[in-house]
């Protein structure tokens, strides 16, 4: 007598006869061989069901649910602090679901023990009942055992379905939780001013006779902007850049790229259309925690409904992060620093009232984005991260220094803010914004308007994109790298700030910042066409 696998089944062979026992295990051939110890791990890591279609290449999220179960209060309060109130109950719900899942595991263990006993008895019965021709003679005892085996199979199938449903629900709840906030992050909704760039162009506006113009007025005066034509072509929230306005966009992009490239950042030209599940893994959901639409989802033809949905990327951060999805990076490659230029698409552009005038908040724009992977901060236990100086904090500071250099060279007065918990995106553990002074916005926020942002995301994105790093000096173990992203330059807002801050009322001109002139054909001023 011997037990073998045969065409996906477990069979007992006695002479020339065979008895199919695969249905006794109820949970399939692999689980039958794994045994109870391996089953729990296999079940917790089995593929999850999704409401949307995922291609075979889609990254499998690996969320640290155990840490959530061990710290439910921390995660719940973090949701409250970050204005994710709908998710604040999720950590406690995960504990409830896990308890139910664990109870099912115990029930399944008992059933499998009975399976094993039945398997042995049936195998013995098959051995004893074989005649000279190898036939198995049915007996009442075997009939009863087979009936019991079928009943166990049904019970195990029910348990399996319930286990899968519980795993799916725990996974979904965990994925929807925002990243934990850093100790640097102020709790609440008030940012902390941590520094300034350049001198204020008008420290005492009430006593000044300088005439300031909005970029909308300047763009119209000099023939640089066309909002009316764009409204007819695409709708509200779009614009045309004309003449020197278009040249200024290209100059800003090239200058930002040159600064990043000098610091060792690899230039990438990324796609603008991404899978919706890649955007979600980066923390960009179709709607934010306030119910406001964030991204444009592309409508699919009826014949393509079963295919993965696609979306327009709201920032190059998404396709840059996706570039290493489902991949293993060697530790010697880190930090891996990329800078990409792309068109960005924001569905929420028209929901902010006065902010929506001109170029400040639009649906489509060009942006230079920095994205980087670095060693996880705890990897210095392996004895190499501290000496290399390539941890996430150093990279965070490097991004801020690039932003500061660009804005300082453009002659813009800015302030640097440590952003509070309510202003962090789902993926960020920490965020610093830089706001420039816009004379046209003086009546709102005293002229301040965001022009760059830098976020540290720990392993939030790499876990959801299944990007890993091999730590050679730590025994070649695989860890999740930390990711960071930051705006090198968002063209419309910086262009608007340059127009407003460098406007000369005397000769109706805009002075071109020195650093942009090489890409403007040496042009020193933008003036009205005669």
């Amino acid at each position: 007598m011997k037990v073998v696998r045969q065409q996906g089944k477990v069979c007992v062979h006695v002479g020339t006869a065979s008895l199919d026992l695969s249905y006794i295990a109820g949970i399939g051939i692999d689980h039958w061989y794994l045994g109870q110890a391996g089953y729990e791990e296999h079940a917790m890591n089995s593929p999850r069901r999704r409401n949307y279609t995922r291609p075979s290449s889609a990254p499998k999220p690996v969320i640290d649910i155990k840490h959530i179960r061990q710290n439910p209060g921390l995660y719940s309060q973090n949701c409250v602090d970050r204005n994710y109130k709908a998710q604040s109950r999720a950590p406690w719900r995960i504990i409830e679901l896990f308890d139910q899942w664990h109870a099912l595991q115990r029930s399944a263990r008992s059933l499998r023990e009975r399976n094993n006993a039945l398997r042995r008895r049936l195998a013995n019965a098959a051995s004893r009942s074989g005649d000279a021709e190898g036939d198995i003679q049915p007996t009442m005892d075997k009939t009863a055992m087979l009936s019991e085996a079928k009943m166990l199979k049904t019970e195990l199938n029910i348990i399996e379905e319930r286990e899968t449903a519980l795993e799916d629900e725990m996974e979904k709840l965990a994925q929807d939780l925002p990243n934990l906030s850093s100790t640097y992050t102020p709790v609440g909704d008030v940012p902390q001013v941590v520094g300034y760039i350049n001198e204020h162009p008008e420290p005492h506006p009430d006593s000044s006779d300088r005439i300031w113009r909005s970029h909308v007025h300047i763009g119209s005066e000099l023939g640089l902007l066309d909002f009316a034509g764009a409204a007819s072509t695409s709708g509200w929230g779009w614009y045309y850049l004309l003449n020197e306005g278009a040249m200024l966009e290209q100059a800003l992009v090239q200058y930002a790229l040159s600064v990043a490239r000098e610091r060792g950042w690899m230039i990438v030209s990324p796609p603008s259309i991404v899978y919706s599940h890649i955007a979600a893994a980066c923390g960009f959901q179709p709607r934010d925690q306030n119910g406001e639409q964030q991204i444009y989802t592309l409508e699919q033809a009826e014949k393509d409904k079963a295919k993965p949905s696609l979306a327009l990327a709201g920032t190059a951060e998404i396709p840059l992060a996706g570039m290493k999805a489902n991949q293993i990076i060697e530790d010697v490659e880190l930090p891996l620093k990329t800078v990409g230029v792309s068109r960005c698409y924001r569905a929420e552009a028209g929901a902010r009232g006065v902010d929506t005038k001109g170029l400040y908040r639009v649906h489509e724009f060009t942006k230079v984005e920095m994205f980087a992977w670095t060693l996880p901060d705890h990897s210095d236990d392996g004895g190499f991260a501290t000496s290399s100086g390539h941890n996430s904090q150093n990279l965070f500071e490097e991004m801020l220094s690039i932003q500061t250099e660009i804005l300082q060279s453009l002659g813009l007065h800015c302030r640097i803010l440590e952003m509070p918990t309510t202003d962090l995106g789902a993926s960020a553990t920490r965020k610093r914004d830089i706001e420039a002074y816009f004379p046209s916005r003086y009546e709102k926020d005293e002229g301040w308007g965001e022009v760059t942002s830098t976020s540290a995301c720990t392993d939030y994105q790499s876990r959801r994109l299944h990007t890993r790093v091999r730590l050679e000096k730590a025994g070649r173990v695989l860890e999740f790298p930390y990711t960071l992203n930051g705006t090198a330059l968002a063209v419309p807002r910086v262009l608007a700030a340059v127009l407003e801050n460098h406007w000369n009322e005397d000769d109706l001109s805009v002075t071109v910042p020195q650093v942009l002139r090489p890409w403007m054909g040496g042009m020193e001023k933008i003036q009205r066409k005669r």
Side-chain angles (χ1 to χ4, degrees), residues 273-289:
I273 296 178
V274 297
Y275 283 130
S276 295
H277 62 259
I278 295 293
C282 293
F284 291 83
Q285 299 290 341
R287 294 186 180 276
D288 63 15
Q289 66 268 35

Side-chain angles (χ1 to χ4, degrees), residues 291-311:
E292 198 170 89
Q293 185 179 353
Q294 292 193 91
I295 59 177
Y296 289 106
T297 300
L298 301 184
E299 184 177 2
Q300 294 173 290
E302 192 63 36
K303 64 182 180 64
D304 296 327
K305 292 294 185 183
K307 296 181 180 179
S309 61
L310 295 166

Side-chain angles (χ1 to χ4, degrees), residues 25-63:
I27 57 171
I29 179 66
D30 290 328
H31 285 169
W32 188 84
Y33 271 91
L34 278 169
Q36 180 57 29
Y39 173 73
E40 292 192 18
E41 179 182 357
H42 188 81
M44 285 301 291
N45 291 288
S46 60
R48 310 292 191 249
R49 297 174 181 173
R50 289 285 174 265
N51 292 328
Y52 50 84
T53 303
R54 293 167 60 88
S56 59
S57 60
K60 178 181 178 296
V62 184
I63 312 301

